[in-house]
Amino acid sequence: DAGITQSPRHKVTETGTPVTLRCHQTENHRYMYWYRQDPGHGLRLIHYSYGVKDTDKGEVSDGYSVSRSKTEDFLLTLESATSSQTSVYFCAISDSYGYTFGSGTRLTVV
Amino acid sequence: GQQLNQSPQSMFIQEGEDVSMNCTSSSIFNTWLWYKQDPGEGPVLLIALYKAGELTSNGRLTAQFGITRKDSFLNISASIPSDVGIYFCAGQRGYAGNNRKLIWGLGTSLAVNP
């Protein structure tokens, strides 16, 4: 068990507010990823990190930023939430065998 | 972004039947992965394949890494109700930097009639 915790598990927020989602891992993995999952689109990569302070954009990064100041924490921020960002967000780590995912955060922007 | 071609999109089968799904790509991969996602949870790794031609089993699940490195299939034998879920394939080009990112199929939704 890679020990990945996402918080919060559920959140409802208003359009235009900033929102931060947290991913915490306990096993010192270097690579971490944020995905969003929407019906008909599968898993789409938002941002990823290959170490402390080393991050890069994925395919759907507009409107999102990330930070990784410690190995164990990877934060995803919606700078000004929009209804199109209503989704389920998954964090993942990459280890020797593949990716291990957290349980997800269901975000609703109203 | 690039996606894998995963088929079928959905399946509805009777308990006890065998299931087969596959993924194809226009480019080659060094690793193929198969995941299952239950409602309200993140995807969970079922089988990982690292070598062209490799055939790997995990209980009633069998997956193969295509010889061209551009495809993979997953078979489930004697399906049971708990096999219900969404199955995803994913390919990985390498293990460093950008190549470590996974390319995903859109999933196969499996329903099993008891």
Side-chain angles (χ1 to χ4, degrees):
Chain A
D1 185 356
I4 301 172
T5 305
Q6 289 186 234
S7 59
R9 287 296 311 271
H10 301 272
K11 186 169 181 68
V12 179
T13 192
E14 292 186 350
T15 299
T17 60
V19 177
T20 295
L21 309 183
R22 181 182 184 236
C23 179
H24 178 78
Q25 58 139 331
T26 59
E27 297 195 2
N28 219 32
H29 293 290
R30 183 179 166 198
Y31 292 89
M32 297 183 76
Y33 304 82
W34 275 108
Y35 285 90
R36 60 178 289 174
Q37 187 175 35
D38 306 285
H41 292 277
L43 289 156
R44 293 184 290 174
L45 182 64
I46 305 171
H47 282 279
Y48 62 104
S49 170
Y50 36 96
V52 172
K53 295 194 168 124
D54 281 327
T55 64
D56 207 346
K57 296 179 180 179
E59 58 183 302
V60 290
S61 59
D62 287 349
Y64 302 95
S65 62
V66 289
S67 66
R68 190 152 178 219
S69 57
K70 297 185 290 184
T71 299
E72 58 265 35
D73 289 323
F74 192 30
L75 304 180
L76 176 71
T77 297
L78 287 65
E79 292 139 11
S80 176
T82 67
S83 58
S84 65
Q85 293 176 312
T86 292
S87 186
V88 181
Y89 291 86
F90 288 101
C91 173
I93 61 92
S94 175
D95 57 23
S96 303
Y97 306 102
Y99 283 24
T100 301
F101 286 82
S103 297
T105 295
R106 182 171 294 276
L107 177 69
T108 303
V109 183
V110 298
Chain B
Q2 183 187 359
Q3 283 172 336
L4 301 176
N5 299 311
Q6 185 172 351
S7 64
Q9 189 174 12
S10 61
M11 302 181 76
F12 186 84
I13 61 169
Q14 294 294 122
E15 183 176 358
E17 288 184 356
D18 297 344
V19 172
S20 184
M21 59 191 79
N22 70 83
C23 270
T24 61
S25 170
S26 57
S27 54
I28 63 174
F29 292 105
N30 284 337
T31 301
W32 281 92
L33 305 168
W34 285 93
Y35 285 83
K36 182 191 178 205
Q37 186 177 24
D38 292 324
E41 297 295 329
V44 173
L45 182 65
L46 297 174
I47 294 180
L49 302 157
Y50 303 106
K51 191 174 162 184
E54 179 183 356
L55 186 72
T56 297
S57 293
N58 177 6
R60 292 178 296 104
L61 278 61
T62 302
Q64 184 158 29
F65 192 140
I67 199 74
T68 65
R69 294 167 64 191
K70 293 182 179 181
D71 62 337
S72 178
F73 72 75
L74 174 71
N75 286 342
I76 305 172
S77 63
S79 59
I80 58 178
S82 62
D83 290 334
V84 166
I86 303 176
Y87 292 79
F88 290 97
C89 63
Q92 188 176 45
R93 291 197 177 90
Y95 307 111
N98 217 32
N99 285 331
R100 203 174 176 106
K101 289 189 296 183
L102 294 183
I103 310 299
W104 293 87
L106 291 181
T108 295
S109 178
L110 179 64
V112 179
N113 191 28

